[in-house]
Amino acid sequence: MSGIDRPIGIFDSGFGGLTVARAVTDQLPNEDIIYLGDTARAPYGPKSLPEVREYALECLDHLVGLGVKALVIACNSASSAVLRDARERYDVPVIDVILPAAKRAVRATRNGRVGVICTVATANALSYDDALTAVPDVSLTTAPCPLFVEYVERGITGGPELLDITRQYVAPLQFADVDTLILGCTHYPLLAGLISYVLGDRVTLVSSADECARETYQTLTDLDLVHDLPRTASRQFLTTGDPAQFEGIGARLMGGDFVAGVRQVFTIAR
């Protein structure tokens, strides 16, 4: 199989990366994709970086073994733990969610005060701090939001309870007067309406999922690996956990037509 005909491999700790997969297929509709969600060990957010690194490399190895032409790490926690290793380990381009979102935030901010909401693992890794450390006149305020993933996967994106939690989470960002906010977890775009309601229209939201998809388009275009002509593209969805659970949560997040025919790839020893 020629390079251009190989699929794009998309990896996430679970379900949130489906927002990246959706964005990639919107921008690259003629490309085949293989999505692997490590749902048996999700969420990665509360885990240590060594654990996340071990799990992520096992899954990325599997995708590379399937012959993908690019790897998209559609998980902020995994990108924090494994990006450098992955780029040294594999001979295909590796796209992450952190640097593209950071670049977009720098372009978007008007007062130089950028915020990021993310998992605990991403916050502890200081990945966004590192991405912005060399940018003059830009300060970063980080707010971990550990409960957001649970609500999104239950299909809850509003209501008084979640509204109160959101107000508590973003209070430090409001105090810091941020005018640009990175949604630093791929679940969070599904809460964009709620977050924008709390912060107001003055704050620009930057989706790490959308920026990752744009970076994927640019990378493959630069390498002449894009299908230019219309074709019927395939979508494969793999999980380390229960395929039925994956389809159920995936249907709530993305719609039943997008996530179907999920297969289990390897069994995780508990």
Side-chain angles (χ1 to χ4, degrees):
M1 183 185 296
S2 68
I4 196 172
D5 291 324
R6 295 179 183 273
I8 300 169
I10 303 175
F11 162 67
D12 185 57
S13 59
F15 307 97
L18 291 171
T19 59
V20 175
R22 171 68 84 179
V24 168
T25 58
D26 285 346
Q27 295 187 36
L28 294 162
N30 301 322
E31 300 300 326
D32 300 332
I33 67 164
I34 303 176
Y35 181 99
L36 172 54
D38 190 11
T39 55
R41 296 178 291 205
Y44 280 7
K47 292 180 169 59
S48 68
L49 287 177
E51 282 182 292
V52 172
R53 180 184 180 279
E54 176 188 351
Y55 301 158
L57 287 176
E58 183 178 12
C59 292
L60 292 170
D61 284 350
H62 186 82
L63 285 173
V64 170
L66 296 176
V68 298
K69 64 183 176 184
L71 285 170
V72 178
I73 305 178
C75 174
N76 282 263
S77 299
S79 291
S80 299
V82 83
L83 180 61
R84 182 176 299 175
D85 291 327
R87 286 182 169 157
E88 293 176 354
R89 189 181 183 99
Y90 308 118
D91 60 358
V92 297
V94 179
I95 299 103
D96 75 306
V97 286
I98 292 173
L99 192 56
K103 288 179 179 177
R104 175 60 183 156
V106 169
R107 293 194 299 270
T109 186
R110 302 173 302 281
N111 67 3
R113 297 171 185 171
V114 173
V116 60
I117 54 175
C118 56
T119 66
V120 173
T122 300
N124 288 342
L126 302 177
S127 300
Y128 282 98
D129 299 76
D130 292 342
L132 295 172
T133 189
V135 181
D137 303 320
V138 170
S139 63
L140 181 69
T141 302
T142 301
C145 302
L147 293 177
F148 275 176
V149 168
E150 176 187 337
Y151 277 91
V152 168
E153 292 191 356
R154 286 161 50 198
I156 300 171
T157 57
E161 182 178 291
L162 186 55
L163 181 60
D164 285 344
I165 290 170
T166 302
R167 284 174 171 148
Q168 293 175 39
Y169 282 161
V170 304
L173 305 171
Q174 293 174 307
F175 182 78
D177 194 30
V178 304
D179 74 348
T180 303
L181 177 64
I182 300 169
L183 306 180
C185 172
T186 49
H187 284 76
Y188 296 176
L190 297 165
L191 297 174
L194 176 65
I195 295 165
S196 185
Y197 175 81
V198 173
L199 291 177
D201 294 338
R202 186 186 66 82
V203 178
T204 300
L205 302 186
V206 174
S207 166
S208 59
D210 288 344
E211 298 309 316
C212 178
R214 291 190 183 96
E215 185 76 9
T216 302
Y217 182 98
Q218 292 171 9
T219 298
L220 294 183
T221 298
D222 289 344
L223 295 173
D224 198 22
L225 290 175
V226 174
H227 283 284
D228 296 324
L229 300 177
R231 61 189 290 273
T232 301
S234 68
R235 298 170 181 166
Q236 298 181 56
F237 296 94
L238 311 175
T239 178
T240 58
D242 180 4
Q245 181 195 38
F246 191 105
E247 288 194 15
I249 295 178
R252 286 204 298 271
L253 296 184
M254 307 304 297
D257 293 339
F258 188 76
V259 180
V262 179
R263 294 188 295 110
Q264 188 180 50
V265 286
F266 47 87
T267 303
I268 301 300
R270 291 281 188 174

